[in-house]
Amino acid sequence: MAHKNRIGNLFSLTTFGESHGPAIGGIIDGMPAGMSIDTQQLQQEMARRKPGQGSGTSSRNETDEVEILSGLFEGVTLGTPIGFIIRNRDQRPEDYDHLKDVFRPSHADFTYHAKYGIRDHRGGGRASARETACRVVAGALAKQALITMGININAKSLPPSIEKNTATGDTQGGIVECVITGVPTGVGEPVFGKLSAQLAEAMMSIPAAKGFELGLGFDFVNHPGSEVLDNWVVKDGNITTETNFSGGIQGGISNGNDIYFKVAFKPVATLPQTVKGINADGNIVTIEPRGRHDTCVVKRAIPVVEAMAAIVMLDNVLMARASRW
């Protein structure tokens, strides 16, 4: 039975830990040997995701310092598994005692209990977005490898403003757009391993992600086929396309154009106001707002989107190199 705590094939990440446990962490496997790692750059990536960054973000005060336990020697990758932990230094599990036998609306409380018969109610446990810090570690290392190949990944939030509703005691969703440049033609696997499918799976694994759109996406349905063909041209002696409605991927394989996609995030389900929940006995109960939570995840989701894209891209670049003699 496969427990899906792992992503990747040749380059992979396995994560562990709960939101209010002593630490979270992971094991990165498949990082090629001999690459110098900039640990300062790694910590800068972590700083982009960590809580306590002002309006719309949780006041939880985590330093998110990464302790690398294996796989590096004098700052250079050994080719062996890279083990790391991030200690949870600002835990307040008592903030969640009132949720021990209560299922919050639009959270994973009920579904985790239904699946396992037990759950960690402290801040959502394993379902908490706290786990995404581990993804940023792997993504930061993957980014450093990809940059040496000329591949860059940049994401940003799109309107509406991510602070639209947070001042009124409510929560806000939003959209993150990501662009991957410098990807050579021929990256991706056929049929069930399409690069587009892998990116979609990676993005939809991020907490609060509810939609994925590649290239023109859903807007394709508003155009006749004649308007959205990516016609071939030759530029500087290279075969390319006039347009990029496909988002840089055709048949599940990169076509040499920029890869671009959007990820939609729902409003945070933990509201800064009283809501109705249900307990294990089936009784409707009132849940008062407690704890420290984001009112909008979009700002902190940007580096997570980039990290997940980097993990998928490095994995697929390595597979592409292994697919031809």
Side-chain angles (χ1 to χ4, degrees):
M1 185 169 109
H3 297 281
K4 291 290 288 185
N5 296 298
R6 179 181 181 271
I7 182 173
N9 299 283
L10 296 185
F11 177 82
S12 68
L13 166 69
T14 302
T15 71
F16 63 83
E18 288 78 38
S19 180
H20 287 268
I24 54 176
I27 298 175
I28 302 166
D29 210 353
M31 175 64 78
M35 193 181 84
S36 295
I37 296 297
D38 185 340
T39 54
Q40 184 176 2
Q41 180 63 39
L42 166 60
Q43 284 300 150
Q44 289 174 358
E45 290 290 312
M46 298 300 293
R48 296 174 61 206
R49 193 221 67 94
K50 74 177 185 179
Q53 300 187 60
S55 178
T57 67
S58 166
S59 61
R60 183 170 175 171
N61 186 22
E62 294 287 358
T63 60
D64 280 356
E65 294 178 2
V66 181
E67 299 178 39
I68 296 179
L69 307 177
S70 65
L72 290 184
F73 180 68
E74 296 181 346
V76 178
T77 58
L78 293 170
T80 56
I82 299 174
F84 67 89
I85 61 171
I86 306 164
R87 299 186 188 277
N88 294 326
R89 301 187 184 279
D90 191 18
Q91 309 168 53
R92 293 186 190 173
E94 65 277 3
D95 287 350
Y96 301 93
D97 286 347
H98 65 299
L99 299 175
K100 185 175 182 180
D101 298 308
V102 173
F103 307 130
R104 297 167 294 176
S106 294
H107 282 76
D109 301 342
F110 178 74
T111 52
Y112 264 60
H113 182 80
K115 179 175 177 62
Y116 297 108
I118 187 174
R119 68 184 175 96
D120 183 348
H121 65 277
R122 304 168 301 171
R126 180 71 173 153
S128 169
R130 178 77 183 133
E131 179 269 341
T132 63
C134 303
R135 307 177 188 212
V136 174
V137 176
L141 300 188
K143 271 186 175 183
Q144 292 187 32
L146 290 169
I147 287 174
T148 68
M149 307 172 194
I151 300 173
N152 289 275
I153 301 173
N154 291 285
K156 64 179 181 180
S157 63
L158 297 180
S161 169
I162 63 172
E163 298 178 0
K164 180 180 177 183
N165 294 327
T166 57
T168 63
D170 213 328
T171 60
Q172 174 72 38
I175 296 172
V176 174
E177 181 181 63
C178 186
V179 180
I180 309 173
T181 61
V183 181
T185 306
V187 175
E189 300 300 310
V191 191
F192 300 114
K194 292 179 178 179
L195 181 58
S196 46
Q198 292 184 56
L199 285 169
E201 180 183 18
M203 298 307 146
M204 292 301 292
S205 75
I206 302 172
K210 286 297 182 181
F212 176 82
E213 181 178 73
L214 175 72
L216 201 59
F218 288 99
D219 196 34
F220 269 117
V221 304
N222 298 318
H223 300 271
S226 59
E227 290 183 0
V228 292
L229 288 180
D230 289 320
N231 290 307
W232 299 110
V233 295
V234 176
K235 292 183 180 178
D236 301 322
N238 297 313
I239 296 176
T240 185
T241 58
E242 288 183 315
T243 53
N244 189 20
F245 299 122
S246 300
I249 299 174
Q250 292 169 327
I253 299 172
S254 64
N255 65 7
N257 288 321
D258 292 351
I259 295 172
Y260 68 96
F261 59 86
K262 297 175 184 175
V263 187
F265 291 90
K266 70 174 184 176
V268 177
T270 302
L271 305 184
Q273 56 186 265
T274 300
V275 298
K276 297 295 184 181
I278 194 168
N279 64 22
D281 295 323
N283 299 313
I284 300 298
V285 297
T286 297
I287 303 175
E288 298 294 337
R290 299 184 195 177
R292 300 159 295 170
H293 307 279
D294 295 315
T295 51
C296 182
V297 301
V298 173
K299 180 178 180 180
R300 295 176 61 205
I302 291 172
V304 181
V305 167
E306 291 182 1
M308 295 305 291
I311 292 168
V312 170
M313 291 311 304
L314 181 56
D315 187 31
N316 276 269
V317 167
L318 294 174
M319 286 192 289
R321 291 182 172 184
S323 66
R324 294 182 64 174
W325 186 252

